[in-house]
Every structure is written in structure tokens, then in C-alpha cells.
């Protein structure tokens, strides 16, 4: 199952809104095939693992009928972009399945396990369950909470300031931290900023210093006051502009008017993103935007860099409380990762 998890992680940034899944086929204590879900709309992990066996061995049918398949998430039981993986396992007469965790998606949620058991397959559920659940926290958040998984990210000075008082641009962190942030962007579906951050920093919000695709871009611009000359509007990436003026398309830029800009703005935005199949969002600022999501409890993880500089005055960094998951050095900076308290 640990190998399943290693394989599944290779799909990070490529399979959303599907979950990341790894599969390993074992015959008499020896791994004979493995696979993972590589890209949305393409073959699932179980299919790739079975094909791996078929391509490697002339007696694949016999081997499969004597093997155990380990899979990090419950095999699907419905027709989606691909046929049901439970049917595939039954077809190849694999007698035993070990599942990391159940799939809460309505069209699966126990149905894959039930179909396998009804066909006489031995099924074990809950092996490394905690790790398997954590692997797909983005997918589970979207399915169960009807919103994307939210990662808050900001940099602050040693004396906890977010930016100079005049809101001028200031690099608080070093190059190593900036490269890490670009790697993160390639792992998530979208990145969100407020109007002031867009206007002052003119960010490209893409992946320049790391692997992966550039995320979709999201900006909150209530009265549509941002200049169309900003990188945000360069038509290179799908971009959502939440406002109170209009709902229309302009190439890759989608203007979405919210029902009410005075109340529940974060909630409205996240539900609209859920409807767009966006599974995860990094919120990179500014301080007011971050504070709104913190205040409403709409966050799942905070990644906070502290740079080795002081400002003595300026815009205060957001205040957040939660469990510190890790604290590490990145170059000359300190990176702290926080998750909400478990109630």
C-alpha cells in the first residue's frame, strides 16, 4: 500500500477533479504489475496495473487469477470517463483486493466493494487508511464540503508584517522559497488574489521556476476597476473575475457576477469554483482577502513563510490559529504549515 501511495502521488496536478490513485498487483509475495491514474479522462490505476502485467507476462491470465491487487482508493463501480474498475478486476478473476480507503463519491461509496464481494472476491478495507485519506484531501473536500480544498499562502517579516504601509512591492522571502511556491502552483487547480494585490504587484500567477502546468487564475474585482493591461488578462490561462457588474466571457477570461457582494463573498466564490470542477485553490493575497477566508473558517491549510527581514511598521500579517504540522527552513526563510484544529 505504501507503493500505491508513492505511485498515486505521481498524478498530482494532472488528474483533478479525479482523485489520485495507485495500484499494485502482487503474486506470491512478488510485485508483478503496478500503475497509477496519470491524467484526467484516461485509464485508472487498476487498468494501468493490469495492462502492466499483460504486457510483461505471457501467462498473465494465470498470474492475475492467483494475485492480490492493492489499490489506494475503492475501485469505481460506475461508468464515467472509463468503464468500472470493479468489473475489470472481476473480468480478470483477481481473487483478492486490498483497499486503502472507501470513495465517498455517491456513485461509488461502497458500491465497488459490494460488487467485488458479490462476485466472490475477498476484499480488505482500511489498510493505511489515514495516509490514503490524506493523499486525496483535495478530492474528499470537494465531494464532502462542495467546495475546493483551500491553501492559504503568504510571506511575513520577522516582526509579522505582510507589506510596507504604502503597499509598495517588497520581496520578503528568498529565491528558494519563490521556487517552492511555483512548484506548489503546478500542483493545484487554481490561484486566487484580491484586487489590490493584482493592481500593485501585477502578478503573472503562473509556473516559471518549477515543473507542472500553470493554474487557473482567480481575482476578486468588485467594480471591475483593474486595468486590462495586467498579466491577469493576457489570455494565456483560464481566468475567473468575480464581480458585481456582469457575467460574460471574453476569450479565456470569465466574468462571474455574485448575488451579493456585501455578505458571504468567500462562500459564493467557493461554490462557483466547485461548480467549475476546481478541486484546489491557493490563495496568495492580499492581507484582506486572506483575512476574510480565515474569519469564515474557509481554509484547510496555511503555508506561512517568515523572511529574515524586519519592517517595524506596515500592514500586519494575517492572524491564524491551528495545529502546526511542520516547521522547516527554506534557504534563509522559515516555512510553517498549519491546519485547522480538529474538532
Amino acid at each position: 500500500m505504501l507503493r500505491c501511495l508513492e505511485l498515486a502521488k505521481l498524478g498530482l496536478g494532472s488528474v483533478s477533479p479525479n482523485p489520485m490513485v495507485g495500484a499494485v498487483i502482487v503474486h506470491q509475495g512478488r510485485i508483478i504489475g503496478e500503475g497509477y491514474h496519470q491524467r484526467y479522462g484516461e485509464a485508472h490505476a487498476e487498468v494501468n496495473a493490469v495492462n502492466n502485467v499483460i504486457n510483461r507476462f505471457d501467462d498473465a491470465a494465470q498470474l492475475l487469477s492467483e494475485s492480490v491487487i492493492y489499490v489506494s482508493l475503492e475501485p469505481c463501480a460506475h461508468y464515467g470517463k472509463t468503464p468500472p474498475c470493479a468489473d475489470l478486476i472481476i473480468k480478470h478473476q483477481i481473487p483478492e483486493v486490498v483497499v486503502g480507503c472507501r470513495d465517498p463519491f455517491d456513485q461509488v461509496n461502497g458500491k465497488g466493494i459490494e460488487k467485488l464481494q458479490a462476485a466472490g472476491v475477498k476484499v480488505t478495507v482500511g489498510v493505511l487508511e489515514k495516509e490514503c485519506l490524506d493523499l486525496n484531501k483535495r478530492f474528499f473536500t470537494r465531494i464532502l464540503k462542495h467546495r475546493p480544498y483551500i491553501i492559504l499562502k503568504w510571506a511575513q517579516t520577522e516582526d509579522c508584517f505582510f507589506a510596507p504601509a504604502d503597499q509598495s512591492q517588497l520581496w520578503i522571502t528568498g529565491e528558494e522559497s519563490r521556487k517552492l511556491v511555483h512548484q506548489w502552483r503546478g500542483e493545484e487547480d487554481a490561484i486566487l488574489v484580491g484586487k489590490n494585490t493584482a493592481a500593485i504587484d501585477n502578478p503573472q500567477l503562473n509556473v516559471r521556476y518549477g515543473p507542472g502546468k500553470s493554474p487557473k487564475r482567480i481575482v476578486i474585482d468588485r467594480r471591475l476597476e483593474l486595468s486590462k493591461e495586467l498579466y491577469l488578462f493576457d489570455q494565456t490561462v483560464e481566468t475567473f473575475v468575480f464581480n458585481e457588474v456582469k457575467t460574460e466571457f471574453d476569450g479565456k477570461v470569465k466574468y462571474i457576477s455574485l448575488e451579493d457582494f456585501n455578505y458571504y463573498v468567500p462562500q459564493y466564490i467557493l461554490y462557483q469554483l466547485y461548480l467549475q470542477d476546481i478541486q484546489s485553490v491557493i490563495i496568495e493575497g492580499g492581507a484582506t482577502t486572506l483575512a476574510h477566508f480565515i474569519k469564515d473558517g474557509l481554509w484547510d491549510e496555511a503555508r506561512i513563510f517568515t523572511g529574515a527581514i524586519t519592517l517595524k511598521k506596515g500592514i500586519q500579517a494575517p492572524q491564524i490559529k491551528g495545529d502546526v504540522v511542520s516547521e522547516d527552513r527554506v534557504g534563509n526563510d522559515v516555512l510553517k504549515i498549519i491546519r485547522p484544529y480538529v474538532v
Side-chain angles (χ1 to χ4, degrees):
M1 191 59 72
L2 282 171
R3 180 59 180 156
C4 287
L5 290 166
E6 287 178 352
L7 290 165
K9 290 174 185 174
L10 298 175
L12 183 61
S14 301
V15 302
S16 177
N18 280 355
M20 295 176 281
V21 185
V24 172
I25 299 174
V26 178
H27 180 264
Q28 296 179 0
R30 179 170 67 103
I31 292 176
I32 61 170
E34 56 184 34
Y36 68 97
H37 185 30
Q38 299 179 16
R39 192 167 300 279
Y40 176 69
E42 297 182 4
H44 288 186
E46 298 93 323
V47 175
N48 288 328
V50 168
N51 286 341
N52 187 219
V53 175
I54 292 171
N55 292 333
R56 291 178 62 203
F57 300 100
D58 292 334
D59 57 343
Q62 180 68 28
L63 290 172
L64 288 170
S65 71
E66 301 168 350
S67 294
V68 181
I69 183 168
Y70 292 76
V71 60
S72 56
L73 186 69
E74 176 182 359
C76 59
H78 67 291
Y79 281 87
K81 295 282 185 182
T82 60
C85 290
D87 289 358
L88 176 81
I89 292 167
I90 295 166
K91 172 188 172 184
H92 289 284
Q93 300 180 343
I94 300 174
E96 185 174 354
V97 180
V98 178
V99 177
C101 64
R102 289 169 63 117
D103 187 338
F105 184 52
D106 281 343
Q107 290 179 282
V108 185
N109 201 3
K111 296 182 179 69
I113 293 167
E114 291 168 7
K115 179 177 277 194
L116 291 167
Q117 290 173 330
V121 177
K122 179 184 176 183
V123 182
T124 302
V125 183
V127 176
L128 294 184
E129 183 176 43
K130 180 181 177 183
E131 291 82 352
C132 291
L133 289 169
D134 186 68
L135 170 76
N136 277 310
K137 53 186 179 282
R138 297 164 179 82
F139 173 72
F140 295 138
T141 297
R142 181 179 175 274
I143 294 298
L144 298 174
K145 297 186 177 180
H146 292 184
R147 66 164 175 81
Y149 185 87
I150 301 301
I151 300 168
L152 309 178
K153 193 280 304 181
W154 72 84
Q156 61 188 31
T157 63
E158 284 186 339
D159 48 352
C160 296
F161 286 102
F162 185 85
D166 63 0
Q167 297 189 332
S168 58
Q169 193 174 37
L170 171 70
W171 286 112
I172 293 175
T173 56
E175 184 179 356
E176 296 90 346
S177 296
R178 292 197 285 276
K179 287 182 177 179
L180 180 58
V181 168
H182 280 248
Q183 177 185 317
W184 290 344
R185 289 177 178 178
E187 296 171 351
E188 310 304 337
D189 285 356
I191 180 169
L192 183 151
V193 295
K195 185 192 76 171
N196 289 341
T197 297
I200 295 165
D201 295 346
N202 189 18
Q204 297 181 57
L205 302 183
N206 58 12
V207 175
R208 300 187 301 282
Y209 307 126
K213 68 182 190 313
S214 291
K216 296 177 182 180
R217 302 180 295 202
I218 306 160
V219 64
I220 304 169
D221 183 11
R222 181 173 184 170
R223 298 179 181 86
L224 298 183
E225 296 169 321
L226 289 172
S227 167
K228 295 301 183 296
E229 301 303 312
L230 296 174
Y231 285 122
L232 277 171
F233 303 103
D234 63 9
Q235 299 285 346
T236 59
V237 179
E238 188 174 5
T239 301
F240 300 91
V241 183
F242 286 99
N243 67 93
E244 66 176 10
V245 179
K246 65 182 181 180
T247 296
E248 66 179 43
F249 296 93
D250 177 15
K252 291 186 177 181
V253 179
K254 296 182 178 180
Y255 294 91
I256 301 175
S257 177
L258 299 181
E259 298 174 35
D260 187 343
F261 236 93
N262 294 311
Y263 303 98
Y264 307 115
V265 171
Q267 288 86 344
Y268 283 135
I269 288 173
L270 295 189
Y271 185 65
Q272 287 292 332
L273 297 178
Y274 162 77
L275 295 176
Q276 298 282 342
D277 277 345
I278 289 177
Q279 191 161 265
S280 61
V281 179
I282 299 180
I283 300 179
E284 290 201 8
T288 301
T289 299
L290 288 160
H292 281 311
F293 282 86
I294 294 170
K295 172 178 168 292
D296 290 346
L298 293 172
W299 64 283
D300 301 286
E301 194 175 319
R303 302 174 182 177
I304 306 164
F305 289 99
T306 300
I309 65 172
T310 58
L311 269 178
K312 297 185 180 176
K313 62 178 182 177
I315 299 170
Q316 289 282 343
Q319 300 294 309
I320 197 166
K321 294 180 180 179
D323 291 315
V324 178
V325 177
S326 63
E327 190 166 340
D328 301 289
R329 294 206 71 86
V330 181
N332 293 323
D333 308 321
V334 174
L335 169 62
K336 184 182 292 185
I337 297 181
I338 298 174
R339 289 188 181 171
Y341 291 124
V342 177
V343 180

